[in-house]
């Protein structure tokens, strides 16, 4: 038996499965090669009597990120439980920053991801701390803290240098806009090779007022973007100027000598690269042509209130765009709420799509019919009578509880006086008295809460009648601004709306289904919409 790195115990009879990882980047010198890393890794594995599962390398790839083809392959082997140890030359082959220091992400990868998978890291030219001991664990944590300190220090230094560049009007860093370059003072200036593309884009936009036409004209002349290196590629390539690229050129205020950073605007030392009047006219024209790509989102008045009668599924808003760019709105059942087994057991959905405007119009018409219905007033009068009766009962009960509470408190004070005089009463009786007082306090709190709720309800005794009248008043003229308010009113008094091919059933809030006011409407009939009210 022996202790390996991080204090994990392995048996010599069961050889560990190892993978050798090697990596070089473009910044590494000639003394760092893939072959040397693999050879030393193989020698190390033979000395430890480990079985080599695979040899994986990343060539010309930076260790600043773990998004590397070779490392991803190692993680795949680790997650499939096919390896026990990863052999590398040094921790900087696994992860490091631009200065060659080990980053906190290395410790996170080792202690969280690999440790959970039962995989350890071994290095051929670096002696790692034995975290199985207290001193080794402390040394390892100190190294992690220093790595985090180095990252924060480098970040502060980078921000300070960036601010200094901005203050003197120099380019702060990043991808340069098309048609520009940096002079000896790191200031933006026109690039003679590509600046004619920028002038052409602005000129053609002002002449044609068409982004698509500008894109076609740029394609005919072979104008392309700045050379960039695509992910996973080594060669530089230029992309065609599409609509997004043209809009970005037209709105890029770097051409005006402005740089946005740290919540403010900085001025370039070289000044504006393009005529200010041309830039402002181009942007004014662009802002005037902008319009929403899709119609404004519709407010479905019955959202959350309408259900399919046969299955009880809620119905949600849905729309269909025709070839003539006309949008039609519907309500449809949410089939995704049913599992395949439930769909087989329940009857087939009777409603596929219900026209939203027709359904909403008929529901509002039903509320208009109910506005002067005497049954609503009778229902509210009965509810007020019941609430007043319940309020009287609760108030009398509250009075009795208060009287009993005063007696309990008086008895408890007498007990405390006896204790202070040296007469100790029996412990069980004292405990029962304390529990009784606590229970009475809870009862008083519950009674006060119930009384407050009933009083609030009595203050809104005509809520149902007033809300129905407001709905009937708004039903005649519904604008976009009134739809949100009307939606809230409907949700306030509507319990549910059950839709079927024969019509719908409207159940008002607080009225039992067997005594519900229903409005039956035929929606899908050949004769159009026919309405009749049943009581």
């Amino acid at each position: 038996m022996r202790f390996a790195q991080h204090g994990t115990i392995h048996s010599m009879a069961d050889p560990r499965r190892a993978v050798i990882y090697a990596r070089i980047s473009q910044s590494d010198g000639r003394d760092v090669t893939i072959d040397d890393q693999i050879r030393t890794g193989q020698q190390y594995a033979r000395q430890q009597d480990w079985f080599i599962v695979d040899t994986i390398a990343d060539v010309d790839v930076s260790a600043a990120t773990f998004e590397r083809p070779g490392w991803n392959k190692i993680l795949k082997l680790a997650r499939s439980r096919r390896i026990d140890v990863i052999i590398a030359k040094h921790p900087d082959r696994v992860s490091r920053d631009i200065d060659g220091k080990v980053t906190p992400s290395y410790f996170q990868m080792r202690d969280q991801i690999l440790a959970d998978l039962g995989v350890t890291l071994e290095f051929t030219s670096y002696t790692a701390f034995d975290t199985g001991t207290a001193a080794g664990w402390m040394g390892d944590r100190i190294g992690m803290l220093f790595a985090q300190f180095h990252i924060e220090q480098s970040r502060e230094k980078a921000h300070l240098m960036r601010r200094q560049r901005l203050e003197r009007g120099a380019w702060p860093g990043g991808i340069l806009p098309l048609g520009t370059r940096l002079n000896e003072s790191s200031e933006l200036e026109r690039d003679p090779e590509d600046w004619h593309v920028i002038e052409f884009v602005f000129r053609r936009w002002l002449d044609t007022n068409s982004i698509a036409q500008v894109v076609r004209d740029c394609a005919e002349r072979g104008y392309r973007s700045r050379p960039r290196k695509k992910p996973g590629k080594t060669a530089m390539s230029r992309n065609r100027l599409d609509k997004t690229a043209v809009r970005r050129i037209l709105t890029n205020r770097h051409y005006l000598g402005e740089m946005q950073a740290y919540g403010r605007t900085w001025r370039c030392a070289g000044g504006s690269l393009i005529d200010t009047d041309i830039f402002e006219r181009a942007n004014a024209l662009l802002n005037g042509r902008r319009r929403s790509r899709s119609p404004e989102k519709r407010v479905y008045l019955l959202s959350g209130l309408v259900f399919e009668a046969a299955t009880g599924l809620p119905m949600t808003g849905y729309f269909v765009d025709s070839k003539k760019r006309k949008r039609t709105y519907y309500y449809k059942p949410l089939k995704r709420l049913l599992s395949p087994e439930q769909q087989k057991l329940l009857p087939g959905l009777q409603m596929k799509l219900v026209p939203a405007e027709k359904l909403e119009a008929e529901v509002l018409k039903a509320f208009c019919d109910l506005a002067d219905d005497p049954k609503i007033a009778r229902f509210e009068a009965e509810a007020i009578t019941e609430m007043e009766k319940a309020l009287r009962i609760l108030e009398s009960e509250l009075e009795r509880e208060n009287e009993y509470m005063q007696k309990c408190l008086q008895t408890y004070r007498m007990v405390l006086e006896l204790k202070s005089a040296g007469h100790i009463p029996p412990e069980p009786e004292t405990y029962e008295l304390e529990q009784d007082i606590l229970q009475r306090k809870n009862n008083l709190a519950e009674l006060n809460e119930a009384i407050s709720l009933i009083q609030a309800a009595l203050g809104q005794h005509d809520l149902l009648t007033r809300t129905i009248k407001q709905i009937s008043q708004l039903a005649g003229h519904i604008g976009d601004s009134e739809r949100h308010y009307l939606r809230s009113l409907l949700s306030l008094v509507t319990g549910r709306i059950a839709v079927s091919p024969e019509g719908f059933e409207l159940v008002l809030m607080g009225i039992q289904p067997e005594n519900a006011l229903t409005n039956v409407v035929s929606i899908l009939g050949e004769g159009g919409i026919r309405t009749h009210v049943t009581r």
Side-chain angles (χ1 to χ4, degrees), residues 80-141:
S80 61
R81 307 292 179 178
R82 295 171 58 187
I83 59 174
D84 302 313
V85 61
I86 301 172
I87 302 175
K89 181 180 179 181
H90 192 272
D92 64 6
R93 298 299 91 192
V94 178
S95 174
R96 70 173 184 178
D97 61 6
I98 57 176
D99 295 332
K101 304 293 178 59
V102 177
T103 61
S105 58
Y106 159 76
F107 295 95
Q108 182 182 8
M109 172 64 71
R110 187 199 67 186
D111 297 338
Q112 296 182 15
I113 301 177
L114 295 180
D116 291 343
L117 298 174
V119 178
T120 59
L121 285 167
E122 296 283 350
F123 304 105
T124 59
S125 61
Y126 172 80
T127 304
F129 289 101
D130 183 6
T131 56
T133 63
W137 181 88
M138 184 178 67
D140 185 74
R141 297 300 158 181

Side-chain angles (χ1 to χ4, degrees), residues 215-319:
V215 171
R216 288 192 293 268
D217 293 342
C218 290
E220 290 177 359
R221 288 163 176 77
Y223 294 156
R224 293 181 175 269
S225 66
R226 181 178 295 278
R228 292 186 182 181
K229 184 178 179 181
K230 294 183 178 180
K233 304 290 183 181
T234 57
M236 306 292 284
S237 61
R238 287 174 173 259
N239 297 327
R240 295 180 58 183
L241 294 177
D242 54 8
K243 292 183 178 181
T244 302
V246 170
R247 287 193 182 93
R248 190 177 293 117
I249 291 173
L250 294 174
T251 57
N252 194 337
R253 302 193 69 85
H254 288 135
Y255 298 126
L256 285 180
E258 298 180 2
M259 298 178 290
Q260 299 290 335
Y262 301 108
R264 55 168 290 192
T265 302
W266 309 77
R267 298 296 303 179
C268 296
S272 178
L273 305 179
I274 194 172
D275 185 79
T276 304
D277 181 62
I278 292 177
F279 186 89
E280 297 298 341
R281 285 196 295 117
N283 276 263
L285 187 62
L286 185 64
N287 293 332
R289 284 179 53 87
R290 285 180 177 173
R291 59 183 184 273
S292 60
R293 297 185 177 181
S294 59
E296 186 178 354
K297 187 176 180 180
R298 186 180 192 272
V299 178
Y300 291 90
L301 298 179
L302 308 180
S303 178
L305 304 175
V306 61
F307 296 83
E308 208 278 329
T311 60
L313 286 176
M315 302 181 74
T316 185
Y318 180 75
F319 63 86

